[in-house]
Amino acid sequence: CITHTLTQLAALSVSNYDGYQLTVFPPNLLRLKVCLKMPYHQVWSRYEFPLSLQKLDMKISFPHCHPIDLVLQPLTTLSRLQKLNIHRVLLKEPESCFPDFKHWPHLTSLHLCVATVKMAHQILSAVPTIQWHKLNIKINYGQEQPGMFGGLEDADWGNLKKLEMDFVDFAIH
């Protein structure tokens, strides 16, 4: 394993990882983009993320619906995280308690897909709105629900530079 010798590596992109062995990423890695070819529940037992990580972009080849707390809990040690993108995983209500976004005080960019508007509200209310620079929260709309920004219309969105949203939310607001 050469990862311990790649101490100056700041960015890494890994594709088609099948997860058959434990992967320890270089210790000073700042940006990681990974494309997984394995069920999501195996990710946390196969990866050791460096504490220096600032940007994490994960694409999963096996789309599934998972409790938000089980997906985000293993990332709470990444206190320097600024950008978090998790693709192809629908996050549903937590099994225990909703994740505390205070673990990521530098988080400014987020891409997630959540099961309900309530979950989007919990995420948006957990972080000061002035902190967001880029948001992409997809909501799995079923029955008629209030918009993602309901109750937050008067919040300070001054730093938000990029917003991606479903047409449903755009039409409501």
Side-chain angles (χ1 to χ4, degrees):
C1 181
I2 65 163
T3 59
H4 66 282
T5 62
L6 299 173
T7 58
Q8 299 303 312
L9 191 64
L12 177 64
S13 182
V14 178
S15 59
N16 298 320
Y17 176 64
D18 57 16
Y20 287 114
Q21 63 187 14
L22 173 66
T23 299
V24 178
F25 291 106
N28 297 316
L29 199 61
L30 300 177
R31 294 177 305 281
L32 175 62
K33 184 175 186 177
V34 62
C35 224
L36 307 171
K37 289 176 60 175
M38 60 199 243
Y40 195 82
H41 65 277
Q42 295 177 359
V43 171
W44 306 131
S45 62
R46 304 282 201 269
Y47 281 158
E48 187 174 307
F49 295 104
L51 298 178
S52 58
L53 204 58
Q54 295 175 359
K55 297 177 182 178
L56 177 59
D57 192 334
M58 298 178 74
K59 291 183 181 171
I60 318 294
S61 294
F62 294 92
H64 287 289
C65 186
H66 294 284
I68 191 169
D69 54 334
L70 299 184
V71 173
L72 296 183
Q73 181 59 38
L75 301 177
T76 57
T77 59
L78 303 177
S79 62
R80 296 180 183 165
L81 203 59
Q82 297 170 9
K83 179 180 180 181
L84 176 60
N85 294 340
I86 300 179
H87 305 273
R88 300 184 185 153
V89 174
L90 176 63
L91 301 174
K92 64 181 183 179
E93 292 291 334
E95 283 189 359
S96 59
C97 59
F98 203 80
D100 186 354
F101 277 73
K102 291 183 176 131
H103 293 288
W104 306 292
H106 307 289
L107 190 65
T108 60
S109 178
L110 184 65
H111 174 100
L112 297 174
C113 184
V114 296
T116 66
V117 173
K118 176 186 167 196
M119 292 177 67
H121 285 175
Q122 286 176 287
I123 292 168
L124 293 175
S125 66
V127 177
T129 55
I130 194 76
Q131 187 172 319
W132 293 119
H133 291 194
K134 181 180 178 190
L135 274 176
N136 185 348
I137 300 177
K138 301 290 184 193
I139 301 168
N140 188 25
Y141 281 99
Q143 301 169 332
E144 191 168 321
Q145 301 181 52
M148 176 171 58
F149 293 101
L152 297 170
E153 294 88 355
D154 294 330
D156 185 353
W157 296 98
N159 287 330
L160 189 63
K161 302 295 182 224
K162 185 170 183 179
L163 176 64
E164 295 179 30
M165 61 195 318
D166 286 317
F167 180 76
V168 173
D169 275 312
F170 180 74
I172 290 172
H173 298 290

